[in-house]
Amino acid sequence: MPEPHGALAQQFEDLEQQHESATLGMWLFLITEIMFFGGLFAAYAVYRSTHPEAWHNGSRHLDVVMGGINTAVLISSSLTMALAVRAAQLSKKTALLANLALTIAFGAVFLGIKAIEYHHKLEAGLVPGRFFTYVGPDLDHLQLFFLFYFIMTGMHAFHMVVGLVVLAVLVVMTLKGRLLGDFYKPVELTGLYWHFVDVVWIFLFPLLYLIGRHG
Amino acid sequence: MSTHSAASYLNASHGIASWLFTRDHKRIALLYLISLSLFFALGGMFAGAIRLELLTPKGNLMSDATYNKMFTLHGVVMIFFFLIPSVPAVLGNFLVPLMIGARDLAFPKLNLLSWYLYMAGALLAVTVAVTGGVDTGWTFYTPYSSTYSNTNVMATAAGAFIAGFSSILTGLNFIVTIHKMRAPGLTWFRLPLFIWAHYATALIQVLATPVVAIALLLVMLERGFGVGIFDPKLGGDPLLFQHLFWFYSHPAVYIMILPSMGVVSEIIAAFSRKRIFGYDFVAFSSLAIALLGFLVWGHHMFVSGQSMYAGLVFSVLSFLVAVPSAVKVFNWTATLYRGSISFDAPMLYALGFIGLFTIGGLTGLFLATLGVDVHVHDTYFVVAHFHYIMVGGALFGYLGGLHYWWPKLTGRLYPHTWARLAAAIIFLGFNLTFFPQFLLGYLGMPRRYHVYPEEFQVLNVFSTAGASVLGIGYLMPLIYLLWSLRSGAKADSNPWNAKGLEWQVSSPPPVHNFDQVPTVTEEAYAYAPADKGGS
Amino acid sequence: MSTHVASVRLLLTIFVMLLALTATTVAVAYFDFGRVNIVVALSIAAFKSALVVLYFMHVRYGSRLTWVFAGAGFLWLVLLLVFTFGDYLSRPWESVTAW
């Protein structure tokens, strides 16, 4: 039996309990995400410490301009997401729709730029595995760097795609007149997820793009 | 109190769809019970094949390659698809809402989803048994798993990966439920220790499982794309995999044992008619075990090439885990002192747990000692230690809990004499199987070989004989518990005359557990001293 | 209920700070500070993350429980890093290099 959206589920006493449970559940989910990406960051850090030269060189193959623009794009999407939460709380339907749409647009731009970068790396023969045709010193470790580049940014991009799908669902729900006022919770939870994905990128950007710039 | 309300959760709706799409935590618990029992039987068959092969020094029954697959499948099935979910998914799912006075878990749909994830992962991994097997051991050590093994590592790792999310969702659900949905008056220090144990377990599930997920994912990527993440030939470091793997898999041992400790606390209190001695200490020791469990993973890597300084630190921290573990054992023992003890089947399992867990824990200290570990590493000593914790501990807790709450789960009583007999047979069979393995390991018999020098045969024959007894012991509950479903006497709401909110609702409980949310006014285990138990 | 509505002004301030910090971290990366480069980069990243977590994710106004769990996530990541590096960084100290 599908309950009307945002209504009180039978296991809860009141909406406050339901909302608090949802927020706590989301934070616990984000903790699992921290640890999931954390395993990757730990592996990255170990190899960076054992092969500093390769990491330095690998980093120089990345495009700081594109990475920097993407960082700004993602931060902008976080702003519009935060504004969307505010609009939902204040029952401003048009503002909610506009900010959700902007967030989706920024997210799509980010993925588009990421795709261009991936394509450049493919052309340069820097995609690990059988496409790795790049010629230079210490290829094994350079390949290891790019392995981590692709796994980490790929995992991040995957999370963005999931986020975009959820945002699209929120747009449809808004058009049906939900998510406003007391029913803003799904927007807030999506916002938590979206900001978390932003935080991951905030670390990925310097660790991948910037570590080899000096010297 | 009404003994049978017309609409219990079992007969409120009918048909297969009412089970497969249920969001009732109690029905989901039974789905887990059925599926876990099947996978336990499967894992047991692999174990039987191993013990049969080891009856003789030569490899008469199967080739070395087949033997490798047998012990791998035994480990994978038993750990990922039986022990990790066992107590939380079955008893925890059923009891956490009942014990805290809630109508369900916080997220019933996620709860159902976690059962489907479990089934998807388990079935995927089990299909491996007929599609080439897997021979890496349950630990998936690289670079063998990622590069060299010719068996079906991908599907097995994917199965464990998927089942991991099931475990995460269960933990997440428990934490939110315990924080947000306790009945009025049920403060943290009035909670049953079962709840504390599950809370600690859930923290580990949430914090540790994602790391093994990423480790397995990296193995799959490395294997699938032929790149070198952990392969030293391509610049990787195989020890890094071990770090990530054991960051989860050591705490996972506590995912398996902590819930059983919670079960034992409930049983000891109910069958001694006393409040658990030092309740606060037992409660906090669960959290301490969960925390310390995260700081000791390197003791699996003493002889792996890990830095010996790291080894020293991990060794010292491993000793510390003995403190909260001993707190529990001493406090249970102190609870027994001058209690009105009755030796029903659940109590036999709980007492068995205390004894066997003590042996398992003390031999764990041998293994935490660097010098001793170098001697017994990768021998049957480790195998015996591990099984004393996992079977003598975790499984005994599971069986004890199943017997304790069976009347609540099903509304039926089982024959007590048979149950006591089965508990005794399982205890004897278990010790006969695994105690000789301590001796074998100390004498130097390495694990994971299907042939061995003839001087080890006598002890191996004992062990295999014990395994046969153990097998019979496992079959007995299967028979009399199934029998009880149809022919057992009907249970009233509180057949053990025990304390706890779960015993205040009818057996089996109504769909939404409590018509009115109860208000709690007393501490857990408020047994009156003169109040002699039922049965 | 913990419904905190953030002001537009605050959100915009955080946004501008985040952009400025991004520009800073890029600019600083071109100067060679030796080992300090990574420390600076990670400090700026940590500060940016803190801004996002505290203001965009409302933790600043959240319950104590939210603080505890958000903190636990990062603490556990630190545990993973510290103990893993405990191994890698102390390997060169050993007098025996291989066995």
Side-chain angles (χ1 to χ4, degrees), chain C residues 7 14 16 22 47 58 63 67 73 76 79 92 97:
Chain C
S7 75
I14 300 298
V16 172
T22 304
F47 186 55
H58 294 189
S63 64
W67 279 89
W76 250 254
L79 288 182
T97 49

Side-chain angles (χ1 to χ4, degrees), chain B residues 304-317:
Chain B
S304 66
Q306 172 185 245
S307 140
M308 67 178 177
Y309 298 100
L312 283 173
V313 173
F314 281 126
S315 171
V316 170
L317 289 168

Side-chain angles (χ1 to χ4, degrees), chain B residues 366-414:
Chain B
F366 296 17
L367 293 167
T369 314
L370 282 161
V372 179
D373 186 68
V374 172
H375 176 61
V376 294
H377 186 83
D378 265 343
T379 69
Y380 267 87
F381 192 87
V382 177
V383 177
H385 154 72
F386 182 71
H387 283 84
Y388 265 76
I389 300 285
M390 292 292 97
V391 182
L395 181 65
F396 269 60
Y398 176 74
L399 289 174
L402 201 56
H403 282 81
Y404 181 49
W405 284 292
W406 185 260
K408 186 55 65 183
L409 263 68
T410 63
R412 299 287 178 156
L413 299 174
Y414 49 81

Side-chain angles (χ1 to χ4, degrees), chain C residues 13-60:
Chain C
T13 312
I14 300 298
F15 172 67
V16 172
M17 284 176 78
L18 288 172
L19 286 183
L21 285 164
T22 304
T24 313
T25 193
V26 173
V28 168
Y30 286 90
F31 295 93
D32 191 353
F33 301 125
R35 285 162 162 262
V36 181
N37 273 81
I38 187 76
V39 178
V40 173
L42 284 177
S43 303
I44 295 177
F47 186 55
K48 284 166 74 180
S49 308
L51 290 178
V52 172
V53 171
L54 289 176
Y55 295 99
F56 283 176
M57 296 170 88
H58 294 189
V59 167
R60 174 87 171 68

Side-chain angles (χ1 to χ4, degrees), chain B residues 237 239 243 294 297 307-308, chain C residues 76 83 87-88 90-91 94:
Chain B
D237 179 9
L239 273 199
H243 277 299
F294 275 98
W297 80 79
S307 140
M308 67 178 177
Chain C
W76 250 254
F83 280 84
D87 171 19
Y88 284 93
S90 63
R91 280 189 202 173
E94 291 184 22

Side-chain angles (χ1 to χ4, degrees), chain A residues 10-68:
Chain A
Q10 64 87 12
Q11 69 270 25
F12 293 111
E13 287 298 299
D14 50 41
L15 267 180
E16 182 178 353
Q17 188 189 33
Q18 180 168 327
H19 281 185
E20 286 179 0
S21 300
T23 306
L24 182 59
M26 193 65 202
W27 271 103
L28 284 165
F29 172 71
L30 293 184
I31 287 176
T32 70
E33 291 278 25
I34 292 175
M35 296 310 291
F36 188 78
F37 278 100
L40 273 180
F41 277 107
Y44 163 96
V46 163
Y47 286 148
R48 183 184 177 275
S49 78
T50 50
H51 313 299
E53 283 302 308
W55 251 237
H56 201 88
N57 293 336
S59 172
R60 294 178 152 227
H61 286 284
L62 299 181
D63 190 330
V64 177
V65 176
M66 287 209 188

